[in-house]
Amino acid sequence: MHQADRMTSSEQRAASSLAAVFAFRMLGLFMVLPVLATYGGSLRGATPLLIGIAIGAYGLTQACLQIPFGMLSDRIGRKPVIIGGLLLFALGGLVAAQAETMQGVIVGRIIQGAGAIAAAVMALVADLTREQHRTKAMAMIGMSIGVSFAVAMVAGPVIAARAGLQGVFYSTSALALVGIMLVVWIVPTPQQALRHREAGMVRSAFMPSLRNKDLLRLNYGIAVLHAILMASFVAIPLALQEQAGLPREEHWWVYLSALLLSFFAMVPFIIYAERQRQIKRVVLGAIILLALVQPMMWLGMGSLPWLVAAIVLFFVGFNLLEATLPSLLSKIAPAGGKGTAMGVYSTSQFAGAALGGLIGGAVFGAWGLGGVFLCCALLAVSWWAIGVTMSEPPYVTSYRLPLSLALAGDETLPRRILAVPGVAEAMVVAEEAAAYLKVDTQVLDREALDRVVNPA
C-alpha cells in the first residue's frame, strides 16, 4: 500500500481519540435508560409522566443546541466547545446524582443534554483528517456509538445494582471528565478550522434541506425511531420486573443477549441493502418489525422467554434502522449539503427522544404498559405510511475533491465534471477550492474524472 493511502499516526490518534470521546459521552447518556424506570420510582415526587420526561429530557436541550454549538465551534474553535459541552454534561450528572426528587433528576438530564458536542466533534474530525481517510474516521465514530449503546445497556443495570441510581449518574460525570482529559492531552489540535460542507452546517443549504421531501421523510423517521426507543424504556424495564418477575438487578443479561443476537441478525440485511441496492425494502421491513413487536411485548409480558424474544426482535429492528438511515441520508442529501442535512437529522433525532419520553410517561400513567406498547406500534405504522411513498434512493457516494485556485474559478468546470460517466451531481465552491460530487462508484470513470480535476 502506498504511504499516502495509509492514515498517518496523527490521523489515527485523532480518529480513535475522538471516537472514544464520543463513546464516553454516549455511554453516559444511555446508561440511564434501562434503570430510570425501575430505580427512579423511589424518588420523591416520582410519577410515570415525570419518569418519562426524565428519560427523554436530554433530547430537548440537545435538539436546541446541536446546530448552534456546531456554528460556535467555527468561530471560537472546536476544542473549547467540546470541553465546555463535556463540562456541562458532567455538571448535569452531578445535579442528577444529588437530586432527591424526580424534578431534580429532570433538571440534571436537561443540563446533560446542553452539552451538545456532536457537530463540533464531526467538524474536528474533518479538520484533522485528509479527504481520503475522512469516511474511515467517521465510521470509527459511528462504531463507537454502537458499542457504547451496547455497553450502556449492560453497565447501567450492573452499576445501579451496586450503587443505585445515584451511582449511575456519578459514573456519567466521571466518563465526561475522562473525555475532557482525552480532548486536552490526546486529541491533536488542528492548524485551522476548515469549512467543510460534508461535516458542518452551511446556512445557504439549510432551507433547501428543509424543503427536500425525501429528507423530511427521513427526519420524521429518525424522530419516530428515537421516540419509540425512549417510550419503550419507560415500559420494558417495568415489564421485565413487574410482569415477567425478573429482578431489576438481573436485567443486564436480557439487554446483553438482545444486543448480541440483534447485531448478528441485522448484518445480512445491511449487506443485502447495499449490495443488492434494496435499502428501501430493508428499511420498510424493519419498520414493520418494530410495529409488530410492540403488541408481541404487550401480549407476552407475563412470560419471560416470550418477552425476551420480543426484546431481541425489537433491537434487531432498531439497530438495523439506526445503521441504515445515515446511509440513506448520505444518498439523498444533495452534493455539498450532507453536513447540513445531517445537522437537521440529528436535531430531529433528539427532538424525537424528548417527545418519546414525554409520550411514554403520559401514556403509561393513563393506560399502563399495554398503552405504551400500543402507542409505539402506532408511531411505527405512521412512519411506514410516510416511508412507503419514498422513491428508491440513488446509490451514490459523496466525494469532496480539492482543486487548484485557478481551476475552482473556471465556470465551465461543473459542466465538465457532470459529463464524466458515473457523476450524478457536482457542486464547485470557489472559496473552498473544492468540488463536491455524488457519484455511482460502480460506473464512475475515475481516470476521466482525474483528467478533469487534475489537468496536466
Side-chain angles (χ1 to χ4, degrees), residues 14-15 18-19 78 119-130 133-138 141 199:
L18 285 171
R78 316 297 189 202
V121 170
M122 294 301 186
L124 185 53
V125 171
D127 293 343
L128 293 171
T129 55
R130 289 168 292 164
H133 299 304
R134 197 155 295 136
T135 300
K136 195 184 305 180
M138 297 291 188
I141 290 178

Side-chain angles (χ1 to χ4, degrees), residues 12 16 20 67 95 121 170 230 292 376 401 441:
Q12 291 174 348
S16 58
I67 292 174
V95 169
V121 170
Y170 278 131
M230 295 302 151
L292 292 177
C376 289
L401 301 177
T441 55

Side-chain angles (χ1 to χ4, degrees), residues 261-277:
L261 290 171
S262 68
F263 173 78
F264 289 109
M266 76 175 185
V267 169
F269 293 102
I270 293 175
I271 295 171
Y272 171 75
E274 293 294 340
R275 290 188 179 174
Q276 301 299 320
R277 301 195 165 191

Side-chain angles (χ1 to χ4, degrees), residues 34 37 41 50 55 59 64 103 105 114 120 145 156 161 164 224 229 289 298 323 344 361 389 404 420 423:
L50 291 182
I55 286 175
C64 293
Q103 290 88 338
V105 170
I145 295 172
V224 166
L229 178 69
L289 177 60
W298 176 23
V344 177
T389 62
S404 66
V420 175
V423 177

Side-chain angles (χ1 to χ4, degrees), residues 296-320:
M296 183 178 172
M297 285 195 274
W298 176 23
L299 297 172
M301 285 191 296
S303 167
L304 182 59
W306 184 268
L307 185 55
V308 170
I311 292 170
V312 170
L313 291 175
F314 171 79
F315 278 113
V316 171
F318 175 81
N319 289 331
L320 182 54

Side-chain angles (χ1 to χ4, degrees), residues 104-379:
V105 170
I106 291 171
V107 171
R109 289 287 276 172
I110 288 173
I111 296 172
Q112 281 188 320
I117 62 169
V121 170
M122 294 301 186
L124 185 53
V125 171
D127 293 343
L128 293 171
T129 55
R130 289 168 292 164
E131 299 290 340
Q132 62 266 41
H133 299 304
R134 197 155 295 136
T135 300
K136 195 184 305 180
M138 297 291 188
M140 289 173 66
I141 290 178
M143 289 174 59
S144 76
I145 295 172
V147 171
S148 68
F149 182 77
V151 172
M153 291 296 102
V154 177
V158 169
I159 294 172
R162 287 160 176 74
L165 189 60
Q166 185 181 53
V168 175
F169 280 117
Y170 278 131
S171 298
T172 67
S173 296
L175 289 167
L177 295 178
V178 173
I180 290 172
M181 289 188 284
L182 286 172
V183 174
V184 172
W185 288 309
I186 306 297
V187 177
T189 300
Q191 298 293 324
Q192 60 178 346
L194 302 175
R195 291 297 181 95
H196 193 298
R197 288 171 168 262
E198 298 296 276
M201 290 287 298
V202 179
R203 286 187 176 88
S204 61
F206 186 69
M207 289 310 296
S209 178
L210 292 181
R211 288 194 294 264
N212 186 308
K213 291 182 180 179
D214 288 329
L215 288 177
L216 287 175
R217 288 189 190 94
L218 198 56
N219 294 334
Y220 180 77
I222 192 63
V224 166
L225 183 63
H226 280 260
I228 290 173
L229 178 69
M230 295 302 151
S232 294
F233 272 100
V234 174
I236 288 175
L238 293 173
L240 285 169
Q241 177 178 291
E242 297 175 2
Q243 301 296 319
L246 185 69
R248 61 189 183 182
E249 295 81 9
E250 296 182 28
H251 287 193
W252 65 269
W253 69 259
V254 174
Y255 301 124
L256 178 61
S257 303
L259 286 161
L260 287 176
L261 290 171
S262 68
F263 173 78
F264 289 109
M266 76 175 185
V267 169
F269 293 102
I270 293 175
I271 295 171
Y272 171 75
E274 293 294 340
R275 290 188 179 174
Q276 301 299 320
R277 301 195 165 191
Q278 294 290 340
I279 194 167
K280 177 183 176 181
R281 179 178 294 180
V282 169
V283 166
L284 291 177
I287 296 170
I288 292 172
L289 177 60
L290 277 187
L292 292 177
V293 81
Q294 301 297 330
M296 183 178 172
M297 285 195 274
W298 176 23
L299 297 172
M301 285 191 296
S303 167
L304 182 59
W306 184 268
L307 185 55
V308 170
I311 292 170
V312 170
L313 291 175
F314 171 79
F315 278 113
V316 171
F318 175 81
N319 289 331
L320 182 54
L321 288 164
E322 191 80 347
T324 53
L325 292 185
S327 174
L328 190 55
L329 180 140
S330 182
K331 292 172 173 58
I332 293 171
K338 181 180 172 183
T340 304
M342 184 59 77
V344 177
Y345 172 90
S346 297
T347 299
S348 303
Q349 171 183 322
F350 293 119
L355 188 60
L358 174 63
I359 291 173
V363 171
F364 175 53
W367 293 290
L369 296 176
V372 177
F373 291 129
L374 179 60
C375 181
C376 289
L378 292 174
L379 282 171

